[in-house]
Protein backbone atom coordinates (compact mmCIF):
# COMPACT_ATOMS: atom_id res chain seq x y z
CA UNK A 1 0.00 0.00 0.00
CA UNK A 2 1.36 3.38 -0.98
CA UNK A 3 -0.42 6.65 -0.24
CA UNK A 4 0.13 10.14 -1.56
CA UNK A 5 -0.84 12.57 1.21
CA UNK A 6 -1.08 16.24 0.26
CA UNK A 7 -0.62 19.10 2.74
CA UNK A 8 0.86 16.84 5.43
CA UNK A 9 3.34 19.46 6.64
CA UNK A 10 0.31 21.27 8.05
CA UNK A 11 -1.74 20.77 11.20
CA UNK A 12 -4.15 17.92 10.37
CA UNK A 13 -2.26 16.14 7.57
CA UNK A 14 0.87 15.87 9.73
CA UNK A 15 -1.15 14.24 12.51
CA UNK A 16 -2.51 11.74 9.97
CA UNK A 17 0.94 10.86 8.62
CA UNK A 18 2.62 10.69 12.05
CA UNK A 19 -0.14 8.35 13.25
CA UNK A 20 0.21 6.17 10.15
CA UNK A 21 4.00 5.92 10.40
CA UNK A 22 3.67 5.14 14.13
CA UNK A 23 1.46 2.15 13.24
CA UNK A 24 -1.74 3.79 14.49
CA UNK A 25 -3.93 2.48 11.65
CA UNK A 26 -4.25 -1.34 11.81
CA UNK A 27 -3.40 -2.99 8.50
CA UNK A 28 -1.34 0.02 7.39
CA UNK A 29 1.76 -0.65 9.51
CA UNK A 30 3.81 -1.26 6.33
CA UNK A 31 2.22 1.46 4.20
CA UNK A 32 4.58 3.81 2.40
CA UNK A 33 3.70 7.49 2.37
CA UNK A 34 4.63 10.22 -0.08
CA UNK A 35 3.91 13.71 1.23
CA UNK A 36 3.39 16.48 -1.33
CA UNK A 37 3.46 19.91 0.30
CA UNK A 38 4.33 23.40 -0.92
CA UNK A 39 5.49 24.47 2.55
CA UNK A 40 3.49 27.67 2.67
CA UNK A 41 3.55 29.75 5.87
CA UNK A 42 1.30 27.03 7.40
CA UNK A 43 3.49 24.05 6.51
CA UNK A 44 6.57 22.88 8.41
CA UNK A 45 8.87 20.09 7.38
CA UNK A 46 9.58 19.26 11.03
CA UNK A 47 5.90 18.48 11.66
CA UNK A 48 6.64 15.05 10.13
CA UNK A 49 9.92 13.49 11.31
CA UNK A 50 12.06 11.54 8.83
CA UNK A 51 11.01 7.87 8.53
CA UNK A 52 12.15 4.97 6.30
CA UNK A 53 8.62 4.65 4.85
CA UNK A 54 8.25 8.40 4.19
CA UNK A 55 9.17 10.37 1.05
CA UNK A 56 8.73 14.13 1.22
CA UNK A 57 8.23 16.11 -1.98
CA UNK A 58 8.33 19.89 -1.79
CA UNK A 59 5.90 20.99 -4.50
CA UNK A 60 2.56 22.42 -5.51
CA UNK A 61 -0.61 20.35 -5.99
CA UNK A 62 -1.52 22.69 -8.85
CA UNK A 63 1.67 21.71 -10.76
CA UNK A 64 0.13 19.25 -13.24
CA UNK A 65 3.44 17.91 -14.59
CA UNK A 66 4.80 17.24 -11.09
CA UNK A 67 1.59 15.55 -9.91
CA UNK A 68 1.38 13.35 -13.03
CA UNK A 69 5.00 12.30 -12.53
CA UNK A 70 4.50 11.53 -8.81
CA UNK A 71 1.25 9.58 -8.84
CA UNK A 72 2.12 6.30 -10.63
CA UNK A 73 2.75 3.55 -8.07
CA UNK A 74 0.38 5.01 -5.49
CA UNK A 75 -2.86 3.26 -4.47
CA UNK A 76 -4.69 6.30 -3.12
CA UNK A 77 -4.56 10.05 -2.55
CA UNK A 78 -5.48 11.56 0.82
CA UNK A 79 -5.96 15.25 0.08
CA UNK A 80 -5.49 17.70 2.98
CA UNK A 81 -3.61 20.50 1.18
CA UNK A 82 -5.46 23.80 1.18
CA UNK A 83 -5.32 27.44 2.02
CA UNK A 84 -7.30 27.11 5.24
CA UNK A 85 -7.65 30.42 7.06
CA UNK A 86 -10.93 32.31 6.60
CA UNK A 87 -9.52 35.72 7.54
CA UNK A 88 -6.79 35.47 4.91
CA UNK A 89 -9.46 34.64 2.32
CA UNK A 90 -11.37 37.78 3.33
CA UNK A 91 -8.23 39.86 2.75
CA UNK A 92 -7.46 38.17 -0.61
CA UNK A 93 -9.13 35.03 -1.98
CA UNK A 94 -6.86 34.42 -4.98
CA UNK A 95 -4.60 31.72 -3.47
CA UNK A 96 -7.70 29.96 -2.16
CA UNK A 97 -9.08 29.49 -5.65
CA UNK A 98 -5.74 28.40 -7.10
CA UNK A 99 -4.87 25.85 -4.42
CA UNK A 100 -8.28 24.69 -3.24
CA UNK A 101 -10.09 24.55 -6.58
CA UNK A 102 -7.47 24.30 -9.34
CA UNK A 103 -5.12 22.25 -7.13
CA UNK A 104 -7.86 19.73 -6.34
CA UNK A 105 -8.86 19.48 -10.01
CA UNK A 106 -5.20 18.96 -10.97
CA UNK A 107 -4.91 16.03 -8.55
CA UNK A 108 -8.19 14.49 -9.74
CA UNK A 109 -7.20 14.76 -13.40
CA UNK A 110 -3.83 13.17 -12.68
CA UNK A 111 -5.56 10.30 -10.85
CA UNK A 112 -7.69 9.63 -13.92
CA UNK A 113 -4.72 9.92 -16.29
CA UNK A 114 -2.40 7.68 -14.26
CA UNK A 115 -5.01 5.18 -13.02
CA UNK A 116 -4.93 5.94 -9.28
CA UNK A 117 -8.43 4.85 -8.28
CA UNK A 118 -9.02 6.00 -4.68
CA UNK A 119 -9.31 9.66 -3.67
CA UNK A 120 -10.18 10.99 -0.22
CA UNK A 121 -10.98 14.70 -0.18
CA UNK A 122 -10.84 16.49 3.18
CA UNK A 123 -13.40 19.30 3.29
CA UNK A 124 -15.17 21.37 5.92
CA UNK A 125 -18.55 22.04 7.53
CA UNK A 126 -18.14 25.67 6.45
CA UNK A 127 -19.43 24.73 2.97
CA UNK A 128 -22.95 24.59 4.48
CA UNK A 129 -22.88 28.24 5.64
CA UNK A 130 -24.34 29.08 9.06
CA UNK A 131 -27.16 27.37 10.98
CA UNK A 132 -29.05 28.96 13.90
CA UNK A 133 -30.57 25.75 15.30
CA UNK A 134 -30.39 22.04 14.51
CA UNK A 135 -27.69 20.30 12.46
CA UNK A 136 -26.65 19.80 8.85
CA UNK A 137 -26.82 16.42 7.15
CA UNK A 138 -24.75 15.59 4.09
CA UNK A 139 -27.78 16.49 1.95
CA UNK A 140 -28.03 20.06 3.26
CA UNK A 141 -27.50 22.71 0.57
CA UNK A 142 -24.05 24.25 0.02
CA UNK A 143 -24.32 27.92 1.05
CA UNK A 144 -20.72 29.07 1.71
CA UNK A 145 -20.27 32.60 3.06
CA UNK A 146 -16.51 33.24 2.90
CA UNK A 147 -14.14 32.95 -0.08
CA UNK A 148 -12.46 30.08 1.84
CA UNK A 149 -15.74 28.20 2.25
CA UNK A 150 -16.70 28.90 -1.37
CA UNK A 151 -13.38 27.48 -2.60
CA UNK A 152 -13.90 24.33 -0.51
CA UNK A 153 -17.51 23.95 -1.73
CA UNK A 154 -16.28 24.34 -5.32
CA UNK A 155 -13.62 21.68 -4.75
CA UNK A 156 -16.25 19.31 -3.31
CA UNK A 157 -18.30 19.72 -6.48
CA UNK A 158 -15.27 19.08 -8.68
CA UNK A 159 -14.59 15.86 -6.73
CA UNK A 160 -18.20 14.82 -7.24
CA UNK A 161 -17.93 15.52 -10.97
CA UNK A 162 -14.81 13.36 -11.34
CA UNK A 163 -16.60 10.51 -9.53
CA UNK A 164 -19.67 10.86 -11.76
CA UNK A 165 -17.84 11.49 -15.03
CA UNK A 166 -14.84 9.17 -14.72
CA UNK A 167 -16.00 6.67 -12.09
CA UNK A 168 -13.17 7.75 -9.76
CA UNK A 169 -13.55 6.06 -6.37
CA UNK A 170 -13.72 9.39 -4.52
CA UNK A 171 -15.21 10.21 -1.09
CA UNK A 172 -15.48 13.55 0.71
CA UNK A 173 -15.27 14.30 4.43
CA UNK A 174 -16.65 17.47 6.03
CA UNK A 175 -15.48 18.03 9.58
CA UNK A 176 -16.07 20.61 12.26
CA UNK A 177 -13.39 22.84 13.86
CA UNK A 178 -10.23 20.92 14.76
CA UNK A 179 -8.00 21.57 17.76
CA UNK A 180 -4.76 20.02 18.98
CA UNK A 181 -0.98 20.49 18.84
CA UNK A 182 0.86 22.02 15.85
CA UNK A 183 -1.94 24.26 14.57
CA UNK A 184 -0.53 27.45 13.07
CA UNK A 185 -1.08 30.26 15.60
CA UNK A 186 -3.60 32.25 13.58
CA UNK A 187 -6.71 30.17 14.41
CA UNK A 188 -8.46 30.92 17.70
CA UNK A 189 -7.06 28.30 20.08
CA UNK A 190 -3.33 28.43 19.22
CA UNK A 191 -3.41 32.20 18.69
CA UNK A 192 -5.08 32.90 22.01
CA UNK A 193 -2.96 30.38 23.94
CA UNK A 194 0.32 31.72 22.56
CA UNK A 195 -0.72 35.30 23.22
CA UNK A 196 -1.91 34.57 26.77
CA UNK A 197 1.36 32.74 27.45
CA UNK A 198 3.12 36.02 26.64
CA UNK A 199 0.69 38.09 28.71
CA UNK A 200 -0.72 39.75 25.58
CA UNK A 201 -4.39 40.64 24.93
CA UNK A 202 -6.56 38.32 22.84
CA UNK A 203 -8.93 39.78 20.23
CA UNK A 204 -12.41 38.24 20.43
CA UNK A 205 -14.62 38.95 17.42
CA UNK A 206 -17.97 40.77 17.91
CA UNK A 207 -20.09 39.67 20.88
CA UNK A 208 -18.15 36.38 21.15
CA UNK A 209 -21.37 34.36 20.81
CA UNK A 210 -20.48 32.61 17.55
CA UNK A 211 -20.72 28.87 18.22
CA UNK A 212 -18.43 26.14 16.91
CA UNK A 213 -18.37 22.37 17.29
CA UNK A 214 -14.90 21.18 18.36
CA UNK A 215 -13.16 18.02 17.15
CA UNK A 216 -9.77 16.77 18.36
CA UNK A 217 -7.35 16.40 15.45
CA UNK A 218 -6.63 12.73 16.33
CA UNK A 219 -10.35 11.87 16.21
CA UNK A 220 -10.59 13.66 12.88
CA UNK A 221 -7.67 11.68 11.44
CA UNK A 222 -9.17 8.37 12.65
CA UNK A 223 -12.39 9.33 10.87
CA UNK A 224 -10.54 10.26 7.66
CA UNK A 225 -8.86 6.86 7.71
CA UNK A 226 -12.20 5.10 8.28
CA UNK A 227 -13.61 6.84 5.22
CA UNK A 228 -10.48 6.14 3.16
CA UNK A 229 -10.75 2.42 3.89
CA UNK A 230 -14.51 1.90 4.14
CA UNK A 231 -16.27 4.92 2.66
CA UNK A 232 -18.39 4.61 -0.45
CA UNK A 233 -17.58 6.23 -3.79
CA UNK A 234 -19.38 9.51 -4.45
CA UNK A 235 -20.41 9.82 -0.78
CA UNK A 236 -19.96 12.70 1.62
CA UNK A 237 -19.33 11.97 5.33
CA UNK A 238 -19.82 14.62 8.02
CA UNK A 239 -17.40 14.31 10.96
CA UNK A 240 -18.57 16.06 14.12
CA UNK A 241 -16.81 16.52 17.42
CA UNK A 242 -19.99 16.79 19.45
CA UNK A 243 -18.80 19.61 21.75
CA UNK A 244 -20.35 22.99 21.01
CA UNK A 245 -18.98 26.16 22.66
CA UNK A 246 -19.32 29.88 22.04
CA UNK A 247 -16.02 31.60 21.26
CA UNK A 248 -16.47 33.55 24.51
CA UNK A 249 -16.88 30.35 26.57
CA UNK A 250 -13.84 28.85 24.91
CA UNK A 251 -11.76 31.97 25.52
CA UNK A 252 -12.75 32.06 29.20
CA UNK A 253 -11.74 28.39 29.49
CA UNK A 254 -8.32 29.12 27.95
CA UNK A 255 -7.81 32.04 30.35
CA UNK A 256 -8.61 29.70 33.29
CA UNK A 257 -6.37 26.89 32.04
CA UNK A 258 -3.45 29.33 31.76
CA UNK A 259 -4.32 31.16 34.98
CA UNK A 260 -4.21 34.36 32.91
CA UNK A 261 -5.79 37.77 33.57
CA UNK A 262 -9.43 37.85 32.23
CA UNK A 263 -8.80 41.54 31.47
CA UNK A 264 -6.68 40.37 28.51
CA UNK A 265 -9.89 39.48 26.60
CA UNK A 266 -10.63 42.37 24.18
CA UNK A 267 -13.76 42.50 22.05
CA UNK A 268 -12.88 43.69 18.52
CA UNK A 269 -14.94 44.49 15.39
CA UNK A 270 -16.52 41.37 13.93
CA UNK A 271 -15.22 39.53 10.86
CA UNK A 272 -17.14 40.29 7.65
CA UNK A 273 -19.95 37.73 7.10
CA UNK A 274 -18.91 35.88 10.25
CA UNK A 275 -20.88 32.61 10.38
CA UNK A 276 -22.88 32.45 13.61
CA UNK A 277 -23.02 28.72 14.21
CA UNK A 278 -21.86 25.40 12.71
CA UNK A 279 -23.29 22.03 13.79
CA UNK A 280 -23.10 18.66 12.05
CA UNK A 281 -25.29 15.56 12.03
CA UNK A 282 -22.71 12.78 11.63
CA UNK A 283 -25.08 9.81 11.90
CA UNK A 284 -23.85 8.46 8.54
CA UNK A 285 -20.21 7.93 9.49
CA UNK A 286 -21.23 6.61 12.92
CA UNK A 287 -23.71 4.06 11.57
CA UNK A 288 -21.87 3.02 8.36
CA UNK A 289 -18.28 3.07 9.60
CA UNK A 290 -18.51 2.90 13.41
CA UNK A 291 -16.95 6.33 14.00
CA UNK A 292 -16.90 7.66 17.59
CA UNK A 293 -14.84 10.66 18.74
CA UNK A 294 -12.77 9.42 21.70
CA UNK A 295 -11.16 12.54 23.12
CA UNK A 296 -13.04 14.28 25.92
CA UNK A 297 -13.06 18.00 25.07
CA UNK A 298 -11.96 19.37 28.45
CA UNK A 299 -9.11 16.86 28.64
CA UNK A 300 -8.10 17.41 25.00
CA UNK A 301 -8.13 21.19 25.48
CA UNK A 302 -5.99 20.98 28.63
CA UNK A 303 -3.49 18.72 26.80
CA UNK A 304 -3.43 21.11 23.85
CA UNK A 305 -2.76 24.11 26.07
CA UNK A 306 0.01 22.15 27.81
CA UNK A 307 1.58 21.29 24.43
CA UNK A 308 1.83 24.97 23.41
CA UNK A 309 3.14 25.88 26.88
CA UNK A 310 5.81 23.16 26.62
CA UNK A 311 6.84 23.84 23.00
CA UNK A 312 7.47 27.60 22.69
CA UNK A 313 10.26 27.01 20.15
CA UNK A 314 7.64 25.52 17.78
CA UNK A 315 5.25 28.48 17.84
CA UNK A 316 7.95 31.16 18.06
CA UNK A 317 9.36 29.73 14.80
CA UNK A 318 5.82 29.72 13.38
CA UNK A 319 5.80 33.49 13.64
CA UNK A 320 3.62 33.88 16.72
CA UNK A 321 5.79 36.74 17.90
CA UNK A 322 4.12 38.90 15.24
CA UNK A 323 1.34 41.27 16.36
CA UNK A 324 -1.62 39.24 15.08
CA UNK A 325 -4.92 40.92 14.55
CA UNK A 326 -6.68 38.02 12.83
CA UNK A 327 -8.01 35.10 14.80
CA UNK A 328 -10.79 33.14 13.12
CA UNK A 329 -12.16 30.13 14.93
CA UNK A 330 -12.87 28.77 11.46
P1 LIG B 1 -3.04 23.96 7.42
O1 LIG B 1 -3.23 25.35 6.91
O2 LIG B 1 -2.47 23.75 8.78
O3 LIG B 1 -2.10 23.14 6.42
C1 LIG B 1 -2.27 23.19 5.03
C2 LIG B 1 -1.05 22.52 4.40
O4 LIG B 1 -1.25 22.54 2.98
C3 LIG B 1 0.26 23.22 4.69
O5 LIG B 1 1.26 22.28 5.02
C4 LIG B 1 0.60 23.92 3.37
O6 LIG B 1 1.99 24.09 3.16
C5 LIG B 1 -0.04 22.97 2.37
N1 LIG B 1 -0.36 23.62 1.09
C6 LIG B 1 -1.04 24.78 0.91
N2 LIG B 1 -1.13 25.07 -0.40
C7 LIG B 1 -0.52 24.02 -1.07
C8 LIG B 1 -0.30 23.74 -2.44
N3 LIG B 1 -0.73 24.56 -3.40
N4 LIG B 1 0.35 22.60 -2.77
C9 LIG B 1 0.80 21.75 -1.79
N5 LIG B 1 0.63 21.99 -0.47
C10 LIG B 1 -0.03 23.12 -0.12
O7 LIG B 1 -4.46 23.28 7.27
P2 LIG B 1 -5.18 22.22 8.21
O8 LIG B 1 -5.83 22.94 9.33
O9 LIG B 1 -4.24 21.11 8.49
O10 LIG B 1 -6.33 21.73 7.23
C11 LIG B 1 -6.19 20.57 6.42
C12 LIG B 1 -7.46 20.36 5.62
O11 LIG B 1 -8.56 20.22 6.52
C13 LIG B 1 -7.79 21.53 4.70
O12 LIG B 1 -8.28 21.00 3.49
C14 LIG B 1 -8.91 22.27 5.43
O13 LIG B 1 -9.77 22.92 4.54
C15 LIG B 1 -9.59 21.13 6.17
N6 LIG B 1 -10.28 21.54 7.42
C16 LIG B 1 -9.59 22.08 8.46
C17 LIG B 1 -10.26 22.42 9.63
C18 LIG B 1 -9.54 22.98 10.84
O14 LIG B 1 -10.19 23.22 11.86
N7 LIG B 1 -8.23 23.20 10.78
C19 LIG B 1 -11.65 22.23 9.73
C20 LIG B 1 -12.32 21.69 8.63
C21 LIG B 1 -11.62 21.33 7.50
Amino acid sequence: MRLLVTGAAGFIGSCYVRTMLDGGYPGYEDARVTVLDRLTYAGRRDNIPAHPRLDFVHGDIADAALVRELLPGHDAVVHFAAESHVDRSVTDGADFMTTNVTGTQTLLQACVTTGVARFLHVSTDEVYGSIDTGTWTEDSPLLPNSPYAASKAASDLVVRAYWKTHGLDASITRCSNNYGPRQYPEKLIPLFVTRLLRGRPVPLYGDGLNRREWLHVEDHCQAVHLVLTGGRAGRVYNIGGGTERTNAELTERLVKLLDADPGLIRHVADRKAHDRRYALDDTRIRSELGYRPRKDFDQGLAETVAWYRDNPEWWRLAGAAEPFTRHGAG
Side-chain angles (χ1 to χ4, degrees), residues 10-12 37-38 40 43 60-61 80 84 99 148 152 175 178:
F11 167 47
I12 304 171
D37 198 295
R38 205 180 94 190
T40 66
D60 192 328
I61 58 165
F80 292 96
S84 70
T99 286
Y148 162 67
K152 294 298 288 189
C175 66
N178 282 222

Side-chain angles (χ1 to χ4, degrees), residues 104-105 107-109 111-112 116-121 139 154-172 174 231-237 284:
T104 301
Q105 185 275 331
L107 288 167
L108 291 161
Q109 185 63 46
C111 284
V112 170
V116 174
R118 184 79 180 121
F119 193 93
L120 188 290
H121 177 60
D139 297 324
S155 67
D156 289 11
L157 295 179
V158 179
V159 173
R160 182 192 141 77
Y162 271 76
W163 160 67
K164 196 79 182 168
T165 305
H166 298 287
L168 193 69
D169 182 4
S171 306
I172 296 170
R174 293 184 184 139
R232 284 168 47 184
R235 280 222 137 179
V236 176
Y237 293 86
R284 175 177 288 170

Side-chain angles (χ1 to χ4, degrees), residues 7-13 36-44 59-62 79-84 99 122-125 148 152 175-178 183-184 186-187 220:
F11 167 47
I12 304 171
L36 173 60
D37 198 295
R38 205 180 94 190
L39 295 178
T40 66
Y41 75 94
R44 290 193 34 182
D60 192 328
I61 58 165
H79 178 33
F80 292 96
E83 286 295 333
S84 70
T99 286
V122 177
S123 190
T124 170
D125 57 1
Y148 162 67
K152 294 298 288 189
C175 66
S176 55
N177 275 44
N178 282 222
Q183 185 171 32
Y184 188 82
E186 63 185 352
K187 312 263 169 71
H220 179 203

Side-chain angles (χ1 to χ4, degrees), residues 9 39 43-50 54-56:
L39 295 178
R44 290 193 34 182
R45 182 65 187 81
D46 65 0
N47 278 341
I48 25 171
L54 171 72
D55 294 305
F56 184 89

Side-chain angles (χ1 to χ4, degrees), residues 307-319:
W307 189 88
Y308 289 101
R309 194 188 51 225
D310 297 344
N311 290 279
E313 72 292 347
W314 186 91
W315 48 266
R316 289 214 167 95
L317 267 177

